[in-house]
Amino acid sequence: MECAAKGSGTRCSGAATRPCARCEAVAYCSLSHQIAHWSRHKHECDRLQQQMKNIEVLNNFPFTFSREATVQVCVKQETRCSFLNQRGLHRVGMWMHECNCGASASFDSLGLNNGWDLPRNLCPCCGPDTTVSEKLHNWRDYYKWRCIPLDSPVALLLHWPLTIYHAAQLVGLNPEVRDKLYIHYLGPEKELLQLAVFGELLALFPGVHVHLELVGPAIPPHRDGEKIHISKHPCCNELECECKLASENTSLETQTGITSALTLQLWKGFYHDRYEDIVKNSFPHLVIAPNSGIAAYSSWLPSIELIEKIDVPVILTDYCEEACHLAASCIKTVSRRPLRLPVQLNPFRQPMAVEESVLLLPCYSNCFLFGM
């Protein structure tokens, strides 16, 4: 963990082993740095102290591996590498990018042909037996619907499409009354190497043609404007499974006979620069920005101004509650009004803690969300 005062003047003297006695959410390398940083930290200390009281809620997942992936990762008894290695998934396919070993992977080769690298019973490699009859409220609901045991790690990747599903529910989108759903997805990075998992949207939005416009500077230049059609789920690792028989050129059909379709289109650049090109054929029903980091990047300001003008439902997520709070403050300076949807915990956050967080507070991908 880095010293909370890093970059504010003098060089750090060592590891950040001195936590703030009040909030216990940040730590310092020395007493002098802690004293020097107080003029800034005092404005956030009480808020962070309150957030630290919710650690048990943050770490609450229904999986058999929950403690291993949360508490033990946070205290460094476990690492993301060791967790994946124990399951034969370390540096394998789409899982390669779930630890620091895959951090340098190139976006030039997008993750379209990767399978789950798991047995059939541990992954959703085929369409569901039934369509979603009731709203899915959490991971337990999803695993029960898809008949997956709670020792399966697939939620580590499925938090991307399940967060989209949850966002659509929060803003009141009802795909059943329309045959097409246009979603603008801002700032994709790691998920560009895991695109196959978005195939689960076929099951989550049955009978709907979902158009997902992925917009961000991480898109490779030579892939700008490319359309990708996904018509099946990622395959399992069993040769005799029926998922191997599904053709990439045919649409997925459930046992009810409802046909779904999913189209991804890639747009390199910032949303405010590419918006006019995108909306020629895709005016959004929903805009979503996973792990947005709004407070960290000034490039968000013109996109926020644009979003305010087009007036469509917008859901943003971040790794922790404090990041969402800072983002909300930035948005308020532009919109001059409160959030339409308050900051809240995402029940479909990734169930493995982020390593080397700047806070002692547990952080998770897509952990909290809010709407503007």
Side-chain angles (χ1 to χ4, degrees), residues 79-300:
T79 66
R80 294 174 75 97
C81 288
S82 62
F83 179 92
L84 294 168
N85 189 55
Q86 291 165 22
R87 291 157 178 81
L89 299 172
H90 188 230
R91 305 192 70 175
V92 173
M94 294 188 291
W95 304 93
M96 181 182 297
H97 319 294
E98 289 307 316
C99 65
N100 290 332
C101 297
S104 61
S106 172
F107 291 136
D108 288 342
S109 179
L110 303 186
L112 293 173
N113 300 315
N114 294 317
W116 284 112
D117 292 295
L118 289 168
R120 167 70 182 92
N121 69 308
L122 293 182
C123 62
C125 61
C126 299
D129 293 334
T130 61
T131 57
V132 181
S133 57
E134 297 181 4
K135 179 180 177 181
L136 303 175
H137 293 93
N138 49 46
W139 282 121
R140 188 180 293 276
D141 286 352
Y142 171 78
Y143 269 54
K144 182 179 179 180
W145 169 56
R146 291 299 254 131
C147 302
I148 303 172
L150 290 174
D151 62 337
S152 169
V154 291
L156 269 66
L157 303 183
L158 285 171
H159 68 105
W160 302 118
L162 267 294
T163 294
I164 292 175
Y165 166 83
H166 185 61
Q169 298 290 325
L170 285 176
V171 301
L173 284 183
N174 185 7
E176 294 180 0
V177 302
R178 57 171 61 91
D179 61 355
K180 292 184 180 180
L181 183 60
Y182 292 93
I183 300 172
H184 291 184
Y185 189 103
L186 313 187
E189 292 184 348
K190 182 195 295 186
E191 56 266 50
L192 292 173
L193 302 166
Q194 302 168 337
L195 290 180
V197 300
F198 287 102
E200 189 61 12
L201 294 174
L202 297 166
L204 293 165
F205 297 109
V208 179
H209 290 242
V210 180
H211 296 256
L212 197 62
E213 313 289 344
L214 295 103
V215 193
I219 304 289
H222 66 283
R223 309 300 290 268
D224 184 27
E226 181 177 337
K227 283 187 178 181
I228 301 165
H229 301 284
I230 296 181
S231 56
K232 56 181 286 188
H233 300 283
C235 291
C236 67
N237 61 7
E238 296 181 7
L239 294 178
E240 301 301 321
C241 181
E242 62 184 282
C243 70
K244 302 294 191 303
L245 304 176
S247 169
E248 294 185 3
N249 297 319
T250 59
S251 297
L252 178 82
E253 293 189 12
T254 67
Q255 288 189 0
T256 61
I258 298 176
T259 302
S260 304
L262 172 63
T263 300
L264 312 180
Q265 185 157 12
L266 310 176
W267 303 89
K268 181 174 179 58
F270 296 115
Y271 190 51
H272 53 273
D273 290 329
R274 302 306 309 270
Y275 176 75
E276 293 298 332
D277 296 325
I278 300 169
V279 295
K280 290 177 181 177
N281 298 304
S282 174
F283 189 82
H285 295 106
L286 171 68
V287 176
I288 183 168
N291 299 326
S292 55
I294 285 179
Y297 302 102
S298 59
S299 56
W300 268 111

Side-chain angles (χ1 to χ4, degrees), residues 1-6 11-20 26-34 76 356-358 360:
M1 180 178 179
E2 293 183 347
C3 174
K6 182 180 180 181
R11 180 178 298 180
C12 291
S13 61
T17 58
R18 186 183 182 89
C20 170
V26 299
Y28 299 90
C29 65
S30 64
L31 177 61
S32 61
H33 266 199
Q34 185 172 2
K76 299 184 179 181
E356 302 300 330
S357 167
V358 295
L360 291 171

